[in-house]
Amino acid sequence: KAKYLPKVSSGEWVAAFALTEPTSGSDANSIRTRAVPSKDGKHFILNGGKIWISNGGIAEVFTVFAQTPVTDPVTGATVDKVSAFIVQRSFGGITSGPQEKKMGIKASNTTEVHFDNVKIPKENLLGEYGKGFKIAMAILNNGRFGMGAALTGCMKGLIAKAADFAGNRTQFRSKISSFGMVQEKLARMAMKCYAAESIAYLLSSNMDRGTEEFQVEAAIGKIFASDMAWEVADECIQIHGGMGFMKETGLERVVRDLRIFRIFEGTNEILRLLVALTGCQFAGAHLKDIQKAMTSGDVNKTLDAGWKTLFLGSLAQNGGLADTVAPELALSAAKVTDCVSQLGLTVRSMLMEHGKGVIHKQFQLHRIADAAIDIYAMTACLSRCTAAIQAGAPTAEHELILTEAFCADASIHASAQLNNLKNPDYRDNFLRFERLSEHIVANGGYLTTHPLGF
Protein backbone atom coordinates (compact mmCIF):
# COMPACT_ATOMS: atom_id res chain seq x y z
CA LYS A 1 0.00 0.00 0.00
CA ALA A 2 2.80 2.40 0.88
CA LYS A 3 4.55 1.68 -2.40
CA TYR A 4 1.63 1.80 -4.84
CA LEU A 5 -1.38 3.66 -3.46
CA PRO A 6 0.15 7.18 -3.17
CA LYS A 7 1.23 7.23 -6.84
CA VAL A 8 -2.02 5.66 -8.05
CA SER A 9 -4.23 7.98 -6.00
CA SER A 10 -2.27 11.06 -7.10
CA GLY A 11 -2.60 10.08 -10.77
CA GLU A 12 1.14 9.73 -11.31
CA TRP A 13 0.50 6.07 -12.11
CA VAL A 14 -2.58 4.62 -13.78
CA ALA A 15 -3.76 1.17 -12.68
CA ALA A 16 -5.58 -1.64 -14.49
CA PHE A 17 -7.50 -4.78 -13.53
CA ALA A 18 -6.43 -7.72 -15.73
CA LEU A 19 -8.72 -10.74 -15.54
CA THR A 20 -10.58 -11.37 -18.82
CA GLU A 21 -9.09 -13.65 -21.49
CA PRO A 22 -10.34 -14.89 -24.88
CA THR A 23 -11.46 -18.23 -23.40
CA SER A 24 -12.62 -16.95 -20.01
CA GLY A 25 -15.34 -14.34 -19.87
CA SER A 26 -18.02 -15.21 -17.34
CA ASP A 27 -16.07 -18.35 -16.35
CA ALA A 28 -13.23 -16.48 -14.66
CA ASN A 29 -11.75 -19.64 -13.13
CA SER A 30 -10.84 -20.93 -16.59
CA ILE A 31 -8.11 -18.36 -17.28
CA ARG A 32 -4.96 -19.72 -18.95
CA THR A 33 -2.39 -17.05 -18.09
CA ARG A 34 0.18 -18.79 -15.87
CA ALA A 35 2.65 -17.74 -13.21
CA VAL A 36 5.17 -20.29 -11.95
CA PRO A 37 7.81 -19.85 -9.23
CA SER A 38 11.34 -19.28 -10.47
CA LYS A 39 14.03 -21.83 -9.62
CA ASP A 40 15.62 -19.51 -7.06
CA GLY A 41 12.22 -18.88 -5.42
CA LYS A 42 12.60 -15.10 -5.66
CA HIS A 43 10.17 -14.48 -8.50
CA PHE A 44 7.12 -15.72 -10.34
CA ILE A 45 7.42 -15.99 -14.12
CA LEU A 46 4.26 -14.74 -15.81
CA ASN A 47 3.15 -15.68 -19.33
CA GLY A 48 -0.16 -15.18 -21.11
CA GLY A 49 -2.50 -12.52 -22.37
CA LYS A 50 -5.56 -10.55 -21.36
CA ILE A 51 -8.23 -8.84 -23.47
CA TRP A 52 -10.50 -5.81 -23.07
CA ILE A 53 -8.41 -4.36 -20.26
CA SER A 54 -9.48 -0.84 -19.24
CA ASN A 55 -6.40 1.42 -19.10
CA GLY A 56 -4.51 -1.45 -20.71
CA GLY A 57 -2.44 0.82 -22.95
CA ILE A 58 -1.56 3.45 -20.36
CA ALA A 59 -1.36 1.62 -17.01
CA GLU A 60 1.87 1.28 -15.06
CA VAL A 61 0.40 -1.01 -12.42
CA PHE A 62 -1.70 -4.11 -13.15
CA THR A 63 -3.62 -6.41 -10.85
CA VAL A 64 -3.12 -9.65 -12.78
CA PHE A 65 -4.80 -13.00 -12.17
CA ALA A 66 -3.04 -16.17 -13.27
CA GLN A 67 -3.11 -19.91 -12.78
CA THR A 68 -0.44 -21.10 -10.35
CA PRO A 69 0.62 -24.65 -9.39
CA VAL A 70 -0.55 -25.50 -5.87
CA THR A 71 0.53 -28.73 -4.16
CA ASP A 72 -1.80 -30.40 -1.65
CA PRO A 73 0.26 -31.01 1.52
CA VAL A 74 -1.73 -34.15 2.31
CA THR A 75 -2.02 -35.92 -1.06
CA GLY A 76 0.98 -34.39 -2.78
CA ALA A 77 -1.12 -33.74 -5.87
CA THR A 78 -0.50 -30.52 -7.78
CA VAL A 79 -3.43 -28.58 -9.24
CA ASP A 80 -3.82 -25.16 -10.80
CA LYS A 81 -5.43 -22.43 -8.71
CA VAL A 82 -5.78 -18.73 -9.41
CA SER A 83 -3.45 -16.30 -7.67
CA ALA A 84 -3.35 -12.51 -7.84
CA PHE A 85 -0.26 -10.38 -8.45
CA ILE A 86 0.70 -6.71 -8.55
CA VAL A 87 2.65 -6.29 -11.78
CA GLN A 88 4.47 -3.17 -12.99
CA ARG A 89 5.05 -2.38 -16.63
CA SER A 90 8.63 -1.52 -15.67
CA PHE A 91 9.24 -5.20 -14.85
CA GLY A 92 9.61 -5.69 -18.61
CA GLY A 93 7.96 -8.20 -20.92
CA ILE A 94 4.62 -6.36 -20.99
CA THR A 95 3.15 -5.14 -24.27
CA SER A 96 -0.23 -3.64 -25.11
CA GLY A 97 -2.23 -3.94 -28.30
CA PRO A 98 -3.97 -1.07 -30.13
CA GLN A 99 -7.00 0.54 -28.55
CA GLU A 100 -10.18 -1.43 -29.25
CA LYS A 101 -12.86 0.10 -31.47
CA LYS A 102 -15.91 -0.11 -29.25
CA MET A 103 -19.60 0.73 -29.53
CA GLY A 104 -19.41 3.09 -26.57
CA ILE A 105 -17.31 4.27 -23.59
CA LYS A 106 -14.77 5.41 -26.16
CA ALA A 107 -12.96 7.57 -23.63
CA SER A 108 -11.89 4.37 -21.88
CA ASN A 109 -8.51 3.09 -23.07
CA THR A 110 -9.28 -0.59 -23.76
CA THR A 111 -6.58 -2.91 -25.12
CA GLU A 112 -5.11 -6.38 -25.07
CA VAL A 113 -2.19 -6.85 -22.66
CA HIS A 114 0.45 -9.53 -23.20
CA PHE A 115 2.92 -10.94 -20.68
CA ASP A 116 6.11 -12.59 -21.93
CA ASN A 117 8.29 -14.10 -19.19
CA VAL A 118 7.55 -11.22 -16.83
CA LYS A 119 9.55 -11.56 -13.61
CA ILE A 120 7.33 -10.68 -10.64
CA PRO A 121 9.03 -10.33 -7.23
CA LYS A 122 7.55 -12.89 -4.84
CA GLU A 123 6.49 -10.10 -2.47
CA ASN A 124 4.13 -8.86 -5.20
CA LEU A 125 1.83 -11.81 -4.61
CA LEU A 126 -1.49 -10.23 -3.62
CA GLY A 127 -3.17 -12.06 -0.78
CA GLU A 128 -2.65 -15.78 -0.27
CA TYR A 129 -1.13 -18.09 -2.86
CA GLY A 130 -3.89 -19.91 -4.75
CA LYS A 131 -6.62 -17.69 -3.30
CA GLY A 132 -6.77 -15.09 -6.05
CA PHE A 133 -10.27 -15.97 -7.23
CA LYS A 134 -11.74 -14.60 -4.00
CA ILE A 135 -9.81 -11.37 -4.50
CA ALA A 136 -11.17 -11.04 -8.02
CA MET A 137 -14.72 -11.56 -6.81
CA ALA A 138 -14.27 -9.01 -4.01
CA ILE A 139 -13.06 -6.40 -6.50
CA LEU A 140 -15.98 -7.15 -8.83
CA ASN A 141 -18.42 -6.84 -5.92
CA ASN A 142 -17.21 -3.32 -5.22
CA GLY A 143 -17.40 -2.47 -8.91
CA ARG A 144 -20.98 -3.70 -9.10
CA PHE A 145 -21.98 -1.52 -6.18
CA GLY A 146 -20.35 1.51 -7.77
CA MET A 147 -22.08 0.88 -11.09
CA GLY A 148 -25.50 0.83 -9.44
CA ALA A 149 -24.80 4.17 -7.77
CA ALA A 150 -23.36 5.80 -10.91
CA LEU A 151 -26.23 4.72 -13.14
CA THR A 152 -28.76 6.56 -10.99
CA GLY A 153 -26.96 9.76 -11.92
CA CYS A 154 -27.27 8.85 -15.58
CA MET A 155 -31.00 8.21 -15.15
CA LYS A 156 -31.48 11.57 -13.40
CA GLY A 157 -29.86 13.33 -16.34
CA LEU A 158 -32.09 11.49 -18.80
CA ILE A 159 -35.22 12.30 -16.79
CA ALA A 160 -34.26 15.98 -16.75
CA LYS A 161 -33.83 16.02 -20.55
CA ALA A 162 -37.13 14.21 -21.06
CA ALA A 163 -39.00 16.52 -18.67
CA ASP A 164 -37.57 19.61 -20.34
CA PHE A 165 -38.54 18.43 -23.80
CA ALA A 166 -42.02 17.22 -22.76
CA GLY A 167 -42.72 20.46 -20.92
CA ASN A 168 -41.81 22.63 -23.90
CA ARG A 169 -42.87 20.59 -26.92
CA THR A 170 -46.30 21.52 -28.29
CA GLN A 171 -48.33 19.20 -30.50
CA PHE A 172 -52.06 19.32 -31.22
CA ARG A 173 -52.11 22.70 -29.39
CA SER A 174 -51.05 21.06 -26.12
CA LYS A 175 -47.78 20.41 -24.32
CA ILE A 176 -46.95 16.75 -24.82
CA SER A 177 -46.42 16.51 -21.05
CA SER A 178 -50.23 16.61 -20.75
CA PHE A 179 -50.64 13.41 -22.79
CA GLY A 180 -51.24 10.24 -20.77
CA MET A 181 -48.72 8.08 -22.61
CA VAL A 182 -45.96 10.63 -22.04
CA GLN A 183 -46.99 11.05 -18.41
CA GLU A 184 -46.72 7.30 -17.87
CA LYS A 185 -43.26 7.24 -19.42
CA LEU A 186 -42.03 10.07 -17.18
CA ALA A 187 -43.57 8.48 -14.09
CA ARG A 188 -42.04 5.06 -14.77
CA MET A 189 -38.65 6.61 -15.50
CA ALA A 190 -38.74 8.29 -12.08
CA MET A 191 -39.96 5.11 -10.34
CA LYS A 192 -37.10 3.08 -11.79
CA CYS A 193 -34.52 5.71 -10.87
CA TYR A 194 -35.87 6.02 -7.32
CA ALA A 195 -35.76 2.25 -6.79
CA ALA A 196 -32.23 1.93 -8.19
CA GLU A 197 -30.98 4.79 -6.04
CA SER A 198 -32.71 3.35 -2.97
CA ILE A 199 -30.93 0.03 -3.52
CA ALA A 200 -27.59 1.84 -3.76
CA TYR A 201 -28.19 3.70 -0.49
CA LEU A 202 -29.44 0.60 1.33
CA LEU A 203 -26.42 -1.41 0.22
CA SER A 204 -23.94 1.38 1.05
CA SER A 205 -25.51 1.73 4.51
CA ASN A 206 -24.98 -1.98 5.18
CA MET A 207 -21.41 -1.75 3.90
CA ASP A 208 -20.75 1.22 6.21
CA ARG A 209 -21.97 -0.91 9.12
CA GLY A 210 -19.23 -3.43 8.37
CA THR A 211 -21.22 -6.03 6.46
CA GLU A 212 -18.76 -8.26 4.60
CA GLU A 213 -21.19 -10.55 2.78
CA PHE A 214 -22.95 -8.32 0.27
CA GLN A 215 -22.27 -10.04 -3.05
CA VAL A 216 -25.94 -10.86 -3.64
CA GLU A 217 -27.07 -7.31 -2.87
CA ALA A 218 -24.31 -5.85 -5.07
CA ALA A 219 -25.36 -8.17 -7.89
CA ILE A 220 -28.99 -7.11 -7.49
CA GLY A 221 -28.00 -3.44 -7.55
CA LYS A 222 -25.97 -3.88 -10.72
CA ILE A 223 -28.63 -5.92 -12.51
CA PHE A 224 -31.47 -3.60 -11.58
CA ALA A 225 -29.67 -0.32 -12.26
CA SER A 226 -28.24 -1.39 -15.62
CA ASP A 227 -31.57 -2.81 -16.82
CA MET A 228 -33.51 0.25 -15.65
CA ALA A 229 -31.00 2.76 -17.05
CA TRP A 230 -31.31 1.11 -20.46
CA GLU A 231 -35.10 1.34 -20.30
CA VAL A 232 -35.00 4.96 -19.10
CA ALA A 233 -32.67 5.91 -21.96
CA ASP A 234 -34.93 4.21 -24.48
CA GLU A 235 -38.00 6.05 -23.18
CA CYS A 236 -36.14 9.36 -23.11
CA ILE A 237 -35.42 8.96 -26.82
CA GLN A 238 -39.06 8.02 -27.46
CA ILE A 239 -40.32 11.13 -25.69
CA HIS A 240 -38.02 13.23 -27.90
CA GLY A 241 -39.42 11.52 -31.00
CA GLY A 242 -37.35 12.08 -34.14
CA MET A 243 -35.16 14.59 -32.33
CA GLY A 244 -34.06 11.84 -29.96
CA PHE A 245 -32.59 9.97 -32.92
CA MET A 246 -30.42 12.93 -33.87
CA LYS A 247 -26.83 12.93 -32.71
CA GLU A 248 -27.00 16.58 -31.63
CA THR A 249 -29.41 15.67 -28.79
CA GLY A 250 -26.68 13.58 -27.18
CA LEU A 251 -28.92 10.62 -26.40
CA GLU A 252 -27.37 8.25 -28.94
CA ARG A 253 -24.06 8.48 -27.10
CA VAL A 254 -25.76 7.70 -23.78
CA VAL A 255 -27.36 4.60 -25.30
CA ARG A 256 -24.05 3.42 -26.77
CA ASP A 257 -22.26 3.99 -23.47
CA LEU A 258 -25.00 2.31 -21.42
CA ARG A 259 -25.08 -0.95 -23.34
CA ILE A 260 -21.88 -2.29 -21.76
CA PHE A 261 -23.25 -2.04 -18.23
CA ARG A 262 -25.39 -5.13 -18.68
CA ILE A 263 -22.28 -7.04 -19.73
CA PHE A 264 -19.15 -6.09 -17.80
CA GLU A 265 -18.43 -6.74 -14.10
CA GLY A 266 -20.42 -9.96 -14.62
CA THR A 267 -23.19 -10.29 -17.21
CA ASN A 268 -26.69 -9.78 -15.88
CA GLU A 269 -27.48 -13.38 -16.81
CA ILE A 270 -24.62 -14.78 -14.71
CA LEU A 271 -25.53 -12.46 -11.83
CA ARG A 272 -29.16 -13.60 -11.95
CA LEU A 273 -27.91 -17.16 -11.51
CA LEU A 274 -25.80 -15.98 -8.56
CA VAL A 275 -28.83 -14.36 -6.92
CA ALA A 276 -31.12 -17.34 -7.44
CA LEU A 277 -28.65 -20.09 -6.59
CA THR A 278 -27.38 -18.34 -3.46
CA GLY A 279 -30.96 -18.22 -2.21
CA CYS A 280 -31.56 -21.85 -3.17
CA GLN A 281 -28.34 -22.86 -1.42
CA PHE A 282 -29.52 -21.25 1.82
CA ALA A 283 -32.93 -22.88 1.49
CA GLY A 284 -31.36 -26.25 0.71
CA ALA A 285 -29.17 -26.09 3.80
CA HIS A 286 -32.23 -25.28 5.91
CA LEU A 287 -34.04 -28.25 4.39
CA LYS A 288 -31.22 -30.52 5.55
CA ASP A 289 -31.56 -29.14 9.09
CA ILE A 290 -35.26 -29.94 9.00
CA GLN A 291 -34.54 -33.47 7.82
CA LYS A 292 -32.10 -33.99 10.70
CA ALA A 293 -34.63 -32.64 13.18
CA MET A 294 -37.12 -35.26 12.04
CA THR A 295 -35.06 -37.98 13.70
CA SER A 296 -36.03 -36.75 17.16
CA GLY A 297 -38.95 -35.05 18.89
CA ASP A 298 -42.36 -34.29 17.44
CA VAL A 299 -41.95 -34.74 13.69
CA ASN A 300 -45.11 -32.84 12.76
CA LYS A 301 -44.24 -29.93 15.02
CA THR A 302 -40.69 -29.80 13.68
CA LEU A 303 -41.84 -29.86 10.08
CA ASP A 304 -44.51 -27.24 10.66
CA ALA A 305 -42.08 -24.82 12.31
CA GLY A 306 -39.38 -25.46 9.72
CA TRP A 307 -41.61 -24.96 6.70
CA LYS A 308 -43.12 -21.79 8.09
CA THR A 309 -39.79 -20.25 9.03
CA LEU A 310 -38.14 -21.02 5.72
CA PHE A 311 -40.88 -20.90 3.14
CA LEU A 312 -43.49 -18.59 4.56
CA GLY A 313 -40.85 -16.38 6.08
CA SER A 314 -40.53 -14.74 9.46
CA LEU A 315 -42.22 -11.69 7.93
CA ALA A 316 -45.51 -13.51 7.54
CA GLN A 317 -45.27 -15.14 10.94
CA ASN A 318 -44.57 -11.86 12.71
CA GLY A 319 -47.28 -9.79 11.06
CA GLY A 320 -45.23 -8.54 8.12
CA LEU A 321 -43.61 -5.13 7.86
CA ALA A 322 -46.50 -3.10 9.28
CA ASP A 323 -44.59 -2.21 12.46
CA THR A 324 -41.45 -1.32 10.54
CA VAL A 325 -42.64 1.08 7.85
CA ALA A 326 -44.55 4.35 8.00
CA PRO A 327 -48.32 3.80 8.42
CA GLU A 328 -48.95 5.31 4.99
CA LEU A 329 -46.97 2.44 3.45
CA ALA A 330 -48.84 -0.42 5.14
CA LEU A 331 -50.52 -1.63 1.95
CA SER A 332 -47.26 -1.53 -0.01
CA ALA A 333 -45.51 -3.41 2.79
CA ALA A 334 -48.21 -6.10 2.70
CA LYS A 335 -47.43 -6.64 -0.98
CA VAL A 336 -43.80 -7.32 -0.09
CA THR A 337 -44.79 -9.80 2.61
CA ASP A 338 -47.01 -11.67 0.17
CA CYS A 339 -44.25 -11.84 -2.42
CA VAL A 340 -41.73 -13.13 0.14
CA SER A 341 -44.08 -15.96 1.12
CA GLN A 342 -44.78 -16.77 -2.50
CA LEU A 343 -41.06 -16.81 -3.32
CA GLY A 344 -40.35 -19.16 -0.41
CA LEU A 345 -43.02 -21.62 -1.46
CA THR A 346 -41.83 -21.56 -5.07
CA VAL A 347 -38.23 -22.25 -4.04
CA ARG A 348 -39.41 -25.13 -1.85
CA SER A 349 -41.29 -26.63 -4.77
CA MET A 350 -38.25 -26.30 -7.06
CA LEU A 351 -35.92 -27.94 -4.55
CA MET A 352 -38.34 -30.75 -3.89
CA GLU A 353 -38.71 -31.38 -7.63
CA HIS A 354 -35.13 -30.94 -8.84
CA GLY A 355 -32.83 -31.28 -5.80
CA LYS A 356 -29.22 -30.56 -6.73
CA GLY A 357 -30.26 -30.53 -10.37
CA VAL A 358 -31.74 -27.09 -9.79
CA ILE A 359 -28.39 -25.57 -10.85
CA HIS A 360 -29.20 -26.58 -14.43
CA LYS A 361 -32.73 -25.09 -14.47
CA GLN A 362 -31.86 -21.68 -15.86
CA PHE A 363 -35.34 -20.91 -17.20
CA GLN A 364 -36.72 -21.26 -13.67
CA LEU A 365 -33.76 -19.63 -11.92
CA HIS A 366 -34.08 -16.56 -14.14
CA ARG A 367 -37.62 -15.99 -12.90
CA ILE A 368 -36.73 -16.73 -9.28
CA ALA A 369 -33.98 -14.11 -9.51
CA ASP A 370 -36.29 -11.52 -11.05
CA ALA A 371 -38.80 -12.01 -8.23
CA ALA A 372 -36.03 -11.68 -5.61
CA ILE A 373 -34.76 -8.51 -7.29
CA ASP A 374 -38.26 -7.03 -7.27
CA ILE A 375 -38.62 -7.85 -3.57
CA TYR A 376 -35.28 -6.29 -2.66
CA ALA A 377 -36.06 -3.17 -4.70
CA MET A 378 -39.46 -2.81 -2.99
CA THR A 379 -37.83 -3.21 0.42
CA ALA A 380 -35.26 -0.52 -0.40
CA CYS A 381 -38.01 1.89 -1.49
CA LEU A 382 -40.06 1.22 1.66
CA SER A 383 -37.02 1.84 3.85
CA ARG A 384 -36.05 5.07 2.14
CA CYS A 385 -39.58 6.43 1.93
CA THR A 386 -40.23 5.64 5.59
CA ALA A 387 -37.11 7.59 6.55
CA ALA A 388 -38.28 10.54 4.40
CA ILE A 389 -41.74 10.55 5.98
CA GLN A 390 -40.39 10.29 9.52
CA ALA A 391 -37.88 13.08 8.89
CA GLY A 392 -40.54 15.34 7.37
CA ALA A 393 -38.52 15.65 4.15
CA PRO A 394 -39.92 18.18 1.65
CA THR A 395 -40.11 15.41 -0.98
CA ALA A 396 -41.85 12.91 1.33
CA GLU A 397 -45.22 13.13 -0.41
CA HIS A 398 -43.62 12.66 -3.82
CA GLU A 399 -41.57 9.71 -2.52
CA LEU A 400 -44.71 8.15 -1.10
CA ILE A 401 -46.36 8.22 -4.53
CA LEU A 402 -43.19 6.84 -6.13
CA THR A 403 -42.98 4.00 -3.61
CA GLU A 404 -46.66 3.09 -3.84
CA ALA A 405 -46.51 3.04 -7.62
CA PHE A 406 -43.28 1.05 -7.76
CA CYS A 407 -44.44 -1.54 -5.20
CA ALA A 408 -47.71 -1.99 -7.07
CA ASP A 409 -45.86 -2.65 -10.33
CA ALA A 410 -43.05 -4.74 -8.87
CA SER A 411 -45.32 -6.95 -6.76
CA ILE A 412 -47.49 -7.73 -9.80
CA HIS A 413 -44.36 -8.56 -11.82
CA ALA A 414 -42.83 -10.73 -9.09
CA SER A 415 -46.08 -12.58 -8.45
CA ALA A 416 -46.57 -13.22 -12.17
CA GLN A 417 -43.03 -14.61 -12.52
CA LEU A 418 -43.59 -17.02 -9.63
CA ASN A 419 -47.09 -18.02 -10.70
CA ASN A 420 -45.85 -18.77 -14.19
CA LEU A 421 -43.51 -21.40 -12.77
CA LYS A 422 -46.58 -23.32 -11.56
CA ASN A 423 -48.44 -22.96 -14.87
CA PRO A 424 -48.08 -26.15 -17.00
CA ASP A 425 -48.61 -24.24 -20.25
CA TYR A 426 -45.93 -21.72 -19.33
CA ARG A 427 -43.51 -24.45 -18.22
CA ASP A 428 -44.05 -26.30 -21.50
CA ASN A 429 -42.68 -23.24 -23.22
CA PHE A 430 -39.30 -23.88 -21.58
CA LEU A 431 -39.07 -27.12 -23.57
CA ARG A 432 -40.13 -25.26 -26.70
CA PHE A 433 -37.44 -22.62 -26.10
CA GLU A 434 -34.85 -25.35 -25.78
CA ARG A 435 -35.91 -27.11 -28.99
CA LEU A 436 -36.19 -23.88 -30.97
CA SER A 437 -32.72 -22.83 -29.84
CA GLU A 438 -31.26 -26.19 -30.86
CA HIS A 439 -32.86 -25.87 -34.32
CA ILE A 440 -31.56 -22.32 -34.80
CA VAL A 441 -27.99 -23.18 -33.76
CA ALA A 442 -27.93 -26.34 -35.87
CA ASN A 443 -29.15 -24.36 -38.90
CA GLY A 444 -26.82 -21.44 -38.28
CA GLY A 445 -29.67 -18.95 -38.03
CA TYR A 446 -33.34 -18.44 -38.82
CA LEU A 447 -34.60 -21.50 -40.69
CA THR A 448 -38.26 -20.92 -41.54
CA THR A 449 -38.98 -21.07 -45.28
CA HIS A 450 -40.34 -17.98 -47.04
CA PRO A 451 -44.16 -18.09 -47.15
CA LEU A 452 -44.13 -17.22 -50.87
CA GLY A 453 -41.73 -20.04 -51.67
CA PHE A 454 -38.66 -18.07 -52.68
Side-chain angles (χ1 to χ4, degrees):
K1 289 180 180 179
K3 182 176 182 179
Y4 292 106
L5 290 186
K7 290 187 177 181
V8 170
S9 60
S10 69
E12 181 179 348
W13 284 352
V14 174
F17 175 80
L19 175 63
T20 303
E21 299 182 8
T23 59
S24 63
S26 297
D27 183 10
N29 247 331
S30 66
I31 60 175
R32 295 182 180 178
T33 296
R34 292 187 59 78
V36 296
S38 61
K39 291 182 180 180
D40 61 10
K42 295 181 179 179
H43 297 85
F44 291 93
I45 309 301
L46 177 69
N47 284 281
K50 304 290 183 177
I51 61 171
W52 304 330
I53 304 305
S54 298
N55 295 335
I58 58 176
E60 168 60 27
V61 184
F62 298 83
T63 302
V64 181
F65 297 86
Q67 298 286 2
T68 51
V70 178
T71 302
D72 189 311
V74 178
T75 65
T78 299
V79 297
D80 281 346
K81 291 188 177 181
V82 176
S83 295
F85 301 91
I86 300 174
V87 182
Q88 285 183 238
R89 192 180 291 272
S90 60
F91 291 166
I94 300 175
T95 56
S96 302
Q99 187 164 340
E100 300 286 358
K101 297 178 180 179
K102 308 186 295 293
M103 176 192 294
I105 58 169
K106 295 183 178 182
S108 169
N109 179 279
T110 309
T111 71
E112 294 182 2
V113 179
H114 302 280
F115 306 100
D116 183 16
N117 289 321
V118 179
K119 293 179 68 174
I120 308 170
K122 66 177 184 178
E123 60 267 24
N124 278 42
L125 172 69
L126 187 61
E128 295 182 51
Y129 188 64
K131 299 292 180 66
F133 185 75
K134 283 188 175 181
I135 294 174
M137 293 305 103
I139 293 170
L140 291 173
N141 279 338
N142 281 305
R144 290 164 190 160
F145 155 70
M147 284 171 57
L151 286 168
T152 62
C154 177
M155 284 187 269
K156 288 178 182 179
L158 290 166
I159 292 168
K161 287 183 76 72
D164 179 64
F165 187 85
N168 289 287
R169 175 68 166 171
T170 299
Q171 292 287 275
F172 308 106
R173 298 180 180 178
S174 298
K175 300 296 185 184
I176 67 170
S177 59
S178 67
F179 300 154
M181 289 187 183
V182 174
Q183 290 173 340
E184 182 175 352
K185 291 181 188 300
L186 288 169
R188 290 188 181 279
M189 290 164 72
M191 289 157 54
K192 291 167 183 176
C193 181
Y194 183 77
E197 188 176 42
S198 298
I199 290 173
Y201 273 105
L202 180 60
L203 174 55
S204 62
S205 175
N206 288 332
M207 292 168 67
D208 285 344
R209 291 189 176 99
T211 300
E212 295 182 359
E213 296 294 329
F214 56 86
Q215 63 267 28
V216 173
E217 292 88 343
I220 287 174
K222 188 266 192 184
I223 295 168
F224 188 85
S226 58
D227 281 352
M228 295 304 102
W230 180 256
E231 293 177 13
V232 167
D234 184 63
E235 291 290 49
C236 184
I237 290 174
Q238 194 69 17
I239 289 172
H240 280 76
M243 185 57 68
F245 198 67
M246 298 297 108
K247 191 169 185 177
E248 64 187 270
T249 312
L251 296 177
E252 59 87 25
R253 176 183 174 182
V254 175
V255 171
R256 288 189 290 101
D257 286 348
L258 275 178
R259 190 58 188 87
I260 190 61
F261 284 87
R262 292 163 62 196
I263 299 173
F264 67 6
E265 304 279 359
T267 69
N268 285 9
E269 289 74 22
I270 288 294
L271 295 182
R272 278 183 165 90
L273 292 178
L274 169 67
V275 171
L277 288 173
T278 301
C280 288
Q281 184 180 34
F282 170 80
H286 199 97
L287 272 174
K288 289 182 179 179
D289 291 340
I290 294 172
Q291 290 170 344
K292 291 178 182 178
M294 288 174 65
T295 60
S296 62
D298 188 329
V299 174
N300 290 328
K301 184 176 180 181
T302 300
L303 278 175
D304 184 60
W307 291 130
K308 283 184 178 179
T309 300
L310 179 57
F311 299 116
L312 294 181
S314 59
L315 281 179
Q317 293 186 77
N318 297 324
L321 294 169
D323 295 334
T324 307
V325 302
E328 298 93 326
L329 291 167
L331 290 177
S332 296
K335 292 180 172 68
V336 176
T337 302
D338 290 343
C339 288
V340 169
S341 297
Q342 193 177 356
L343 176 63
L345 292 169
T346 304
V347 171
R348 180 192 73 170
S349 177
M350 280 187 57
L351 290 173
M352 297 284 283
E353 181 179 357
H354 303 294
K356 293 182 179 179
V358 73
I359 63 173
H360 302 298
K361 302 298 178 180
Q362 291 195 8
F363 295 122
Q364 292 89 336
L365 292 170
H366 181 178
R367 287 148 182 85
I368 291 289
D370 279 352
I373 292 166
D374 283 331
I375 290 170
Y376 189 75
M378 287 189 285
T379 305
C381 290
L382 288 171
S383 174
R384 180 181 180 183
C385 185
T386 294
I389 291 172
Q390 292 176 345
T395 59
E397 181 181 356
H398 180 72
E399 292 186 46
L400 175 61
I401 299 172
L402 281 172
T403 301
E404 289 176 329
F406 179 81
C407 288
D409 260 14
S411 61
I412 291 171
H413 180 257
S415 184
Q417 294 282 57
L418 297 172
N419 281 329
N420 284 338
L421 293 178
K422 296 182 288 185
N423 185 327
D425 290 336
Y426 193 89
R427 289 173 56 139
D428 285 345
N429 250 5
F430 296 157
L431 298 175
R432 296 184 185 107
F433 295 157
E434 188 174 341
R435 290 180 62 191
L436 286 170
S437 175
E438 290 171 354
H439 295 167
I440 293 165
V441 172
N443 187 68
Y446 187 71
L447 63 126
T448 305
T449 57
H450 196 287
L452 299 182
F454 58 84

